Amino acid sequence: MREAIETRFSIRRFSPEPVPPGDLEEILRLASLAPSAWNLQPWRFLVVRHPWTKGALREAAYGQEALESAPLVIVLYSDMRDALETVDEVIPPQMPEKRYQREKETIRQVFGPMTEAERETWGAGQSYIALGHLMLAARSMGYDTLPMLGFSSSKVKEALGLSEHVQIPALVPLGVADEGGYPRHRHDLGRIVAFHDPGRGALR
Amino acid sequence: MREAIETRFSIRRFSPEPVPPGDLEEILRLASLAPSAWNLQPWRFLVVRHPWTKGALREAAYGQEALESAPLVIVLYSDMRDALETVDEVIPPQMPEKRYQREKETIRQVFGPMTEAERETWGAGQSYIALGHLMLAARSMGYDTLPMLGFSSSKVKEALGLSEHVQIPALVPLGVADEGGYPRHRHDLGRIVAFHDPGRGALR
């Protein structure tokens, strides 16, 4: 796991080598084990393999090559409308009846006052937890990914026939890397970590 | 890594066993390797270990026990104001000058028109990528976590002296589990995965 994190780099060019369906399924299964608030699991995965469709995605994403060179693209989208309409599917059935009803009521109270766009933004945020799992699962199985967060959502929806209301947190080309990947450039830990001292409030 | 995903469960009660500083640092370092759009890395980690402060967090989070039983709580927050004010720290220095300037301009164009709240919501979403890494890094090192997404943000900020403008995507109690964890209840893959057929638009 540490190795998967250490060796994960964003890959811009992939080899044409296909991803066997069993490997893809295992990657998606591992991604689906990610946690989410109230277990709502708002993430959905649409797998794109056809060259035409990959070409359309590339056009929607300012020409980025990985969308065509990768053997497949996982379109990660969140669908909170679906998630909230089917809450009974995700609340653990072994939960005692009273807690089950309270859980449903809490979900209703939290999301009821939101606009649909706010709900979907929330769902897209949660979906990034699954994205983290997905990239690391792929890496641990010898594959690489490019988490693409910049593209025209409306063009992607149009190309794929996705509903207007969903949000698309990421397009994820996946395959065998054909290059070493971007070098990583991250903050030093001292820049982003602080230890809270109760006598003084936060240190930064 | 597959093992880390398979064996990660949300833990509600922790043993008092402390987390050695070297292990904590390694977990945070691995979390910090997560990718983000434009490499902005808006996530910040505030480590809380003092019983008083953990008690205050528990109060802010509807009494959830894990916040006190865990030897430490990582408060994951995003600070887009800081991230955008220091963009030069995150754009890779080896980038050719022209691309460097274009990158800065793109970031300005994307975030300029947003309200501060919209920017922070975006940053909080990105921070969930790091949260996925953090939980799996901890698990692979023998520790467990509870990703807590429900709490009063304003109370947490007040208890910790965090700025009004930041967003807090999660409180993460971390330590050695003292129970088996919630059983997992996830959608079958068939419910959340579809394969795009270019002749028919999205299958669902």
Side-chain angles (χ1 to χ4, degrees):
Chain A
M1 161 67 205
R2 287 153 91 168
E3 201 195 324
I5 294 183
E6 299 271 13
T7 63
R8 189 211 55 78
F9 290 94
S10 291
I11 295 296
R12 287 156 298 182
R13 206 175 56 235
F14 291 85
S15 104
E17 212 173 313
V19 179
D23 284 2
L24 173 61
E25 187 179 330
E26 178 66 0
I27 291 166
L28 293 168
R29 187 185 70 83
L30 290 165
S32 79
L33 299 184
S36 51
W38 298 290
N39 197 37
L40 281 175
Q41 310 164 63
W43 45 74
R44 303 290 182 263
F45 306 98
L46 183 56
V47 180
V48 171
R49 290 174 294 195
H50 198 287
W52 291 354
T53 323
K54 289 193 293 175
L57 292 180
R58 182 175 181 172
E59 241 175 77
Y62 318 112
Q64 292 184 78
E65 174 187 338
L67 286 163
E68 278 191 298
S69 67
L72 63 90
V73 178
I74 298 172
V75 177
L76 171 66
Y77 67 99
S78 84
D79 188 344
M80 280 294 286
R81 191 189 286 182
D82 180 24
L84 291 173
E85 278 171 359
T86 56
V87 154
D88 285 318
E89 290 183 36
V90 296
I91 302 182
Q94 71 270 28
M95 200 177 261
E97 178 64 17
K98 250 194 167 156
R99 255 199 78 201
Y100 193 103
Q101 292 307 331
R102 206 170 57 217
E103 190 92 343
K104 278 185 80 162
E105 179 57 21
T106 304
I107 293 171
R108 213 186 52 78
Q109 281 172 3
V110 169
F111 296 102
M114 291 188 189
T115 64
E116 175 142 56
E118 284 168 344
R119 277 180 215 133
E120 295 296 344
T121 296
W122 183 92
Q126 297 284 303
S127 301
Y128 284 122
I129 307 176
L131 174 63
H133 280 57
L134 189 151
M135 293 185 295
L136 296 176
R139 185 76 281 281
S140 75
M141 294 176 64
Y143 298 102
D144 281 286
T145 53
L146 176 64
M148 294 183 41
L149 312 180
F151 47 84
S152 157
S153 255
S154 55
K155 281 191 186 163
V156 171
K157 287 180 194 174
E158 197 184 335
L160 300 176
L162 284 171
S163 287
E164 195 49 53
H165 73 276
V166 308
Q167 282 205 20
I168 306 172
L171 304 179
V172 189
L174 187 153
V176 174
D178 196 30
E179 54 144 33
Y182 284 106
R184 220 163 14 216
H185 178 64
R186 295 288 190 275
H187 280 307
D188 290 334
L189 274 194
R191 174 70 172 80
I192 55 173
V193 174
F195 292 85
H196 184 262
D197 173 347
R200 300 196 292 158
L203 295 186
R204 49 175 302 277
Chain B
M1 159 70 205
R2 287 154 91 166
E3 201 195 324
I5 293 183
E6 300 270 12
T7 64
R8 189 210 56 78
F9 291 93
S10 291
I11 295 296
R12 286 156 299 183
R13 205 172 60 235
F14 291 86
S15 105
E17 211 173 310
V19 179
D23 285 3
L24 173 61
E25 188 179 327
E26 178 67 359
I27 291 166
L28 293 169
R29 186 185 70 81
L30 290 165
S32 79
L33 298 185
S36 52
W38 299 291
N39 197 37
L40 280 174
Q41 309 164 63
W43 45 73
R44 304 290 183 262
F45 305 98
L46 184 56
V47 180
V48 172
R49 289 173 296 195
H50 198 286
W52 292 353
T53 323
K54 288 193 292 176
L57 291 182
R58 182 176 180 172
E59 242 175 75
Y62 318 110
Q64 293 184 77
E65 174 187 339
L67 287 163
E68 277 190 300
S69 67
L72 64 89
V73 178
I74 298 173
V75 177
L76 171 65
Y77 67 99
S78 85
D79 189 343
M80 280 294 287
R81 191 189 286 183
D82 180 23
L84 291 174
E85 277 172 359
T86 57
V87 154
D88 285 318
E89 289 183 37
V90 296
I91 302 182
Q94 70 272 24
M95 200 178 261
E97 178 64 16
K98 251 193 168 155
R99 255 199 76 201
Y100 193 103
Q101 292 308 331
R102 208 170 54 214
E103 190 92 344
K104 279 185 80 162
E105 179 57 22
T106 304
I107 293 171
R108 213 186 52 77
Q109 281 172 2
V110 168
F111 296 102
M114 290 188 189
T115 65
E116 176 142 57
E118 285 168 344
R119 275 179 217 134
E120 296 295 346
T121 296
W122 183 91
Q126 298 283 302
S127 300
Y128 284 122
I129 307 176
L131 174 63
H133 280 57
L134 189 152
M135 293 185 295
L136 296 177
R139 184 76 280 280
S140 75
M141 294 176 66
Y143 298 102
D144 281 287
T145 53
L146 176 64
M148 295 183 43
L149 312 180
F151 47 84
S152 156
S153 255
S154 56
K155 282 191 187 163
V156 171
K157 287 181 195 174
E158 197 184 336
L160 300 175
L162 284 172
S163 288
E164 195 48 54
H165 74 276
V166 308
Q167 282 205 19
I168 306 172
L171 304 180
V172 189
L174 187 152
V176 174
D178 196 28
E179 55 144 34
Y182 285 106
R184 225 170 359 222
H185 178 64
R186 296 287 190 276
H187 280 306
D188 290 335
L189 274 195
R191 174 71 172 80
I192 55 173
V193 174
F195 292 85
H196 184 263
D197 172 348
R200 302 196 293 157
L203 294 186
R204 50 178 303 276

